[in-house]
Amino acid sequence: MGDDRGPATLRPGDLCLVTGGAGFIGSNLVRALVARELRVRVLDDLSTGRLVNLEGTMDHLEFVQGDVRDADGVRTVTQGCTAVFHEAAIPSVARSVADPIATNDVNVNGTLHVLMAARDAGVQRVVFASSSSVYGNAPALPAREELLCRPISPYGVSKLAGERYLQAFWESYGLPTVALRYFNVFGMGQNPRAEYAAVVPRFIAAALEGTPATIFGDGEQARDFTFVEDVVQANLLAADSSPDAWGQAFNVACGRRHSVNELHAEVQAAAGGTGVPPVNESPRAGDVRESHASIEAAHRVLGYSPAFGFADGLRRTADWYRSQMERGLL
Ligand code: NAD
């Protein structure tokens, strides 16, 4: 198992590939990599990502419009890379329930292409965007990584399959991999208008517009809302990690639980909402009731420590959306 490549601290000038780099999380990560004077290549098919997310960084990166399902294309863009951050995916539980085949194609086959290309190009670290949805309705909270994963959505299954492939590529080929299980990420650049938009940008847009937000179910379902800057921090730490992290999966979260009703109230405060009451609709298939992470392992092994609380992150996010709205960009 493994080899003696040792921990590769990313150095200025090293080339990093970010798949899905025009998306919400990917573009925030790209910005951080550029700030560290790394060379960045982005592979994105722009299906949900947008070039506007890369505004201000385009001069510092190479953008390739392409699909992770195209094995040859992935191989080409992986050449010369020190690290690969694999963010590209169909990222929605609801969409996976509607079309599990498409989710499997992109999230599982696409991940396998990325791993094959990384293995053959001698990449020193592959960091994978996994998800809290691998747990399903976890029997014990806060969820710890050693829990038996029982995903309840095709999306969760696809992310667990991706994780297992990362583990197998470490065990079988010595490719250093780290999977990060993100918990409900929010922040700058998340699209509130997307067909399967996430709850935080939908609530903020509704508050800024003075329209009612939609809550699926009674709103007492809870999530561990995580600010995107903390997710970026975890990715950078994973890229610089030592062998005890390789082949493993780590929760990346804030470590606190908040109900969707609490989120709604907090967003109203952060975005200066006018108190328009939300509208409740039926719960959605595939959505778990409770999600709450233990971040002890990420702290111990990666040195991860979230720097932003829920209210602080929401305030920063709401400020960003307000400025986007004023510029006519939302
Ligand atoms: P996003 O939709 O903004 O980003 C996904 C990016 O991947 C987009 O830019 C999209 O155009 C690109 N993409 C999709 N299919 C592709 C394909 N076939 N080839 C190339 N590019 C493709 O979503 P996000 O929230 O930024 O999610 C990023 C990653 O984090 C995803 O892997 C997602 O599953 C994971 N994740 C996100 C969250 C969250 O709360 N946002 C939680 C857990 C995991």
Side-chain angles (χ1 to χ4, degrees):
M1 180 176 88
D3 61 16
D4 58 1
R5 269 179 263 198
T9 303
L10 286 178
R11 287 184 215 93
D14 284 350
L15 180 60
C16 301
L17 174 66
V18 183
T19 71
F24 156 51
I25 297 170
S27 60
N28 280 284
L29 176 59
V30 164
R31 207 158 279 121
L33 295 170
V34 167
R36 278 178 61 161
E37 294 178 19
L38 291 149
R39 289 184 299 134
V40 179
R41 187 178 282 157
V42 168
L43 176 71
D44 200 300
D45 71 351
L46 299 180
S47 51
T48 54
R50 297 174 298 170
L51 286 178
V52 68
N53 286 339
L54 293 170
E55 208 180 41
T57 52
M58 272 310 236
D59 290 346
H60 304 278
L61 57 84
E62 182 189 344
F63 179 80
V64 179
Q65 185 164 356
D67 195 317
V68 290
R69 288 168 295 185
D70 167 15
D72 290 341
V74 171
R75 227 167 246 290
T76 304
V77 295
T78 307
Q79 288 304 322
C81 291
T82 303
V84 173
F85 299 90
H86 180 39
E87 302 293 321
I90 294 182
S92 154
V93 167
R95 193 165 160 208
S96 80
V97 172
D99 188 354
I101 299 272
T103 295
N104 189 77
D105 265 358
V106 174
N107 296 9
V108 182
N109 296 338
T111 298
L112 198 45
H113 292 318
V114 168
L115 289 169
M116 298 278 286
R119 179 198 67 182
D120 296 346
V123 166
Q124 293 180 43
R125 203 75 86 253
V126 178
V127 184
F128 171 59
S130 185
S131 164
S132 57
S133 63
V134 299
Y135 290 112
N137 284 311
L141 294 173
R144 298 177 64 86
E145 288 81 349
E146 59 270 21
L147 270 181
L148 179 65
C149 290
R150 299 177 65 94
I152 61 169
S153 66
Y155 172 73
V157 172
S158 77
K159 287 293 176 181
L160 187 56
E163 281 189 9
R164 296 290 194 248
Y165 271 123
L166 261 82
Q167 184 183 4
F169 270 64
W170 163 236
E171 301 283 355
S172 300
Y173 308 115
L175 178 69
T177 61
V178 182
L180 301 176
R181 294 177 177 166
Y182 303 163
F183 280 65
N184 284 74
V185 189
F186 69 94
M188 299 72 69
Q190 202 169 16
N191 185 357
R193 315 272 183 230
E195 190 183 354
Y196 294 102
V199 61
V200 173
R202 283 196 296 106
F203 280 13
I204 293 180
L208 291 174
E209 288 162 351
T211 56
T214 301
I215 294 179
F216 297 105
D218 63 6
E220 285 309 303
Q221 66 272 36
R223 296 289 180 269
D224 194 332
F225 294 102
T226 311
F227 191 50
V228 68
E229 292 288 331
D230 288 326
V231 173
V232 168
Q233 180 209 141
N235 272 273
L236 298 177
L237 290 166
D240 283 342
S241 60
S242 49
D244 52 349
W246 301 349
Q248 309 286 323
F250 298 95
N251 293 339
V252 173
C254 187
R256 310 285 292 268
R257 80 181 269 299
H258 295 275
S259 73
V260 169
N261 288 329
E262 281 168 4
L263 170 71
H264 185 264
E266 198 70 50
V267 164
Q268 288 287 317
T274 51
V276 180
V279 174
N280 291 81
E281 290 186 6
S282 313
R284 292 185 306 187
D287 278 350
V288 300
R289 184 73 183 163
E290 294 271 333
S291 171
H292 179 197
S294 161
I295 50 175
E296 186 273 325
H299 180 68
R300 179 170 34 83
V301 181
L302 299 177
Y304 168 75
S305 196
F308 297 90
F310 179 59
D312 187 17
L314 280 179
R315 245 190 328 272
R316 285 165 193 261
T317 307
D319 287 348
W320 182 84
Y321 279 102
R322 198 177 291 107
S323 73
Q324 293 296 104
M325 216 166 239
E326 283 162 8
R327 292 173 62 201
L329 293 175
L330 275 188

